[in-house]
Amino acid sequence: MTDQTSAARGRPRDTKTHTAILQAAFTVLEREGYTAATIERIAAEAGVAKQTIYRWWKRKAPLFMEVLAHKAGQAVDLPDSGSFKDDLATLLTGTFAAVSTTLRPLMRALVVELLQDDQFAETMREVFVRRRRANVRYLVEKAVGRDELPVETDPELICDIVFGTMWYRLMFDHAPLDEAAAEQIAAAAYAASIQCTR
């Protein structure tokens, strides 16, 4: 992991202050939007010196990426109903509900940031993308383990189908991200896992 989100250098993070900063950043985001949000405004909202924030995050993009990871993590629920399609649809319904709020414009803004900064892109893949993919991979592996999906099922391809669709709709807003979409994507992922192994 890069030092954009690591507290390895300098003093360790104080958990209470760290949480207060993340919440303050989210409050400023909801009130003013990503573009208008500044470290100074976040520091004032959190009641800390801006140097405290700069000690842990070099700029606002890594800070808001951590806000995104924290909020998305709260929304994650890994069901185990015995049905891959149902479990994936449940997971995606919760995910889509989260990204349809304040997180949607934040995710779009962070995509712009990662396209301009290779180091930040690496950090976002490590902190956010890989963890979301791990959740889907877990559901695939559980389904393979109970012989619902073929052992040859490629978890990475299923992740690409799921998140490729999500990000495409997120960025271009041409189709909804709702419960119906979650069920459709889950069904498509299931069908792909069967077809690709024939």
Side-chain angles (χ1 to χ4, degrees):
M1 185 177 298
T2 69
D3 60 3
Q4 290 192 44
T5 59
S6 173
R9 298 175 183 175
R11 292 181 295 174
R13 293 178 181 177
D14 174 80
T15 302
K16 185 177 180 180
T17 302
H18 177 250
T19 302
I21 292 170
L22 293 182
Q23 184 54 53
F26 186 69
T27 298
V28 172
L29 176 71
E30 287 189 305
R31 186 173 64 227
E32 304 179 28
Y34 181 82
T35 301
T38 64
I39 295 296
E40 288 75 12
R41 292 179 182 180
I42 295 168
E45 182 72 30
V48 302
K50 65 181 181 180
Q51 289 81 5
T52 300
I53 297 179
Y54 280 121
R55 187 165 61 242
W56 295 336
W57 298 278
K58 291 182 178 180
R59 56 193 185 89
K60 73 176 184 179
L63 168 56
F64 276 108
M65 185 272 301
E66 194 164 334
V67 170
L68 174 62
H70 178 69
K71 292 294 182 180
Q74 290 180 331
V76 167
D77 179 26
L78 291 178
D80 190 6
S81 69
S83 166
F84 173 73
K85 285 192 291 185
D86 290 348
D87 288 347
L88 183 57
T90 298
L91 175 64
L92 293 180
T93 296
T95 301
F96 294 169
V99 303
S100 295
T101 60
T102 309
L103 298 183
R104 188 171 193 148
L106 174 59
M107 292 173 75
R108 287 172 166 170
L110 292 180
V111 167
V112 174
E113 295 278 2
L114 69 85
L115 291 174
Q116 300 173 347
D117 185 337
D118 290 341
Q119 186 181 16
F120 176 66
E122 179 185 349
T123 301
M124 190 163 177
R125 283 193 296 269
E126 179 66 30
V127 174
F128 183 75
V129 175
R130 290 179 184 172
R131 294 180 186 180
R132 306 287 83 75
R133 290 175 70 93
N135 292 331
V136 173
R137 194 159 46 243
Y138 170 82
L139 296 183
V140 172
E141 291 169 354
K142 291 283 287 187
V144 170
R146 60 177 176 258
D147 296 324
E148 183 185 7
L149 295 181
V151 69
E152 300 88 358
T153 299
D154 183 354
E156 300 308 319
L157 176 61
I158 301 303
C159 288
D160 286 345
I161 291 170
V162 169
F163 292 113
T165 305
M166 185 193 80
W167 279 99
Y168 193 81
R169 292 189 178 195
L170 182 74
M171 295 303 297
F172 294 101
D173 205 20
H174 68 289
L177 286 173
D178 53 18
E179 186 174 354
E183 293 175 354
Q184 292 167 352
I185 294 170
Y190 175 78
S193 67
I194 300 300
Q195 291 294 326
C196 288
T197 55
R198 287 181 176 175

